[in-house]
Amino acid sequence: MRFIDEAIVTVKAGDGGNGIASFRREKYVPRGGPDGGDGGTGGDIYVIAEDNTNTLVDYRYTRRYDAMRGENGHSRNCSGKGSDDVFLPVPVGTTVIDTETDEVLGDMTEIGQTFLIAKGGDGGLGNTHFKSSTNQAPRKATSGFEGELKVLKFELKVVADVGLIGLPNAGKSTFIRQVSAATPKVADYPFTTLVPNLGVVDIGRHRSFVMADIPGLIEGASEGAGLGIRFLKHVARTRRLLHIVDIQPLDGSDPVQNARIIFNELERFSPELANLPQILILNKIDQIVDTDELNELCEHIIAELDWTGAVFRTSTLTGEGVDPVKYHLMNEIELERERELEFPEFAEAQRARFERLEVEVRRNTEAQREAYRAARKAQREGTDLPDDDSFDGEAFDDDDDDGVEVVYAP
């Protein structure tokens, strides 16, 4: 299945039916008077969040949706039939944006949530409405009103409590396999993961949270390099970022510098995103047998990063040290949820923070998209490309014909 996380669709609500001018005609009843009925209401268009879909791929093939117009009015004061409404299913986590005004019309965060995106037109009035003492045979009727026409962008962000970040091959996919039922592809080479993967981490009875593995973060991701700019937006909804660092990379690179690369990319892409609470995971401790050497290396990394937050040592391959991370995350998330319920002002501050995140992420993503489109236009016209290398064709492939697989596992 192809993972499509953005789609542009045109929606047209139904027009209202026309009212009619009609007069009662009945045997032995002369001058029966006006009896024209009103037109029916045009169909509305809604989006509805469902759990049986996890991608926007359908909206890449069908890009226009129209509701039916209402029936015209009938004689004998009978109104026309209103048209049925149209419901467009979207995954939970979809944001609906008006492309003309850039206004967020709806944020679909719960299963079954329904939101009106295009209002159908009201029906016109029959001539019965225009009868008066001075005009007892009105021949006036009104046409139905037009339904709303909008061009909308559906933007999907995975709904997860924890987002996994780190350079390729740091062990993110292996970590999510250890703690959940998700089974993303794992290999000993970079860029194995091509799409976000979701997994439900089950701690015990009625205790669980959702974790997302975000692929493609490399140096320059905030400027469009690799897949980072395309998927970095998916961590905008998370409560915690789990930063996984390979303490002994196969390429011999410095783990401290690798961690700083991720810090810098988050900051450059969205300062608000960089301020999300982070937990540092020093991974692949199984590769260093000597305990003193391991302790010295871990302490060196923490000191060089000037890290004051939570730190855990893990081996995602063997599972060592993974359980404490799970329980720590669960406790942190539960405490935050309880604070939101107990203190309305804290809940409002959280909501405002996520709104700021949405704005920053959308603005920066659109800026990179425009840079990519400008570069493609320059290629077609044979002009020079930008000198700053601020785009990467892999980041925004409008055709999306790579056929990659998305795994959403409970």
Side-chain angles (χ1 to χ4, degrees), residues 287-315:
Q287 296 185 2
I288 301 178
V289 179
D290 186 270
T291 303
D292 292 336
E293 182 183 351
L294 175 62
N295 290 336
E296 182 179 349
L297 176 59
C298 291
E299 290 171 2
H300 167 74
I301 294 173
I302 294 169
E304 287 295 311
L305 293 176
D306 195 23
W307 187 262
T308 57
V311 183
F312 292 88
R313 304 179 186 182
T314 66
S315 168

Side-chain angles (χ1 to χ4, degrees), residues 303-356:
E304 287 295 311
L305 293 176
D306 195 23
W307 187 262
T308 57
V311 183
F312 292 88
R313 304 179 186 182
T314 66
S315 168
T316 53
L317 182 64
T318 65
E320 182 182 354
V322 169
D323 283 345
V325 180
K326 291 167 48 179
Y327 287 105
H328 175 81
L329 287 169
M330 186 76 261
N331 291 336
E332 289 281 304
I333 292 169
E334 286 179 336
L335 286 173
E336 191 166 288
R337 290 172 179 168
E338 290 172 3
R339 284 189 66 192
E340 290 175 352
L341 292 174
E342 187 175 355
F343 302 104
E345 62 278 8
F346 177 73
E348 178 61 24
Q350 289 284 84
R351 185 191 63 79
R353 182 184 69 175
F354 285 119
E355 286 184 355
R356 292 193 302 269

Side-chain angles (χ1 to χ4, degrees), residues 4 8 24 35 49 52-53 68 74 115 155 182 201 211 221 231 277 283 305 307 310 343 349 353 358 360 385 391:
I4 303 298
I8 303 292
R24 181 182 177 196
D35 69 348
N52 58 358
T53 179
M68 298 294 291
H74 303 283
F115 185 80
E155 187 177 85
V201 182
M211 180 177 289
F231 296 127
N283 191 35
L305 293 176
W307 187 262
F343 302 104
R353 182 184 69 175
E358 291 279 352
E360 278 192 0
L385 298 180
F391 70 94

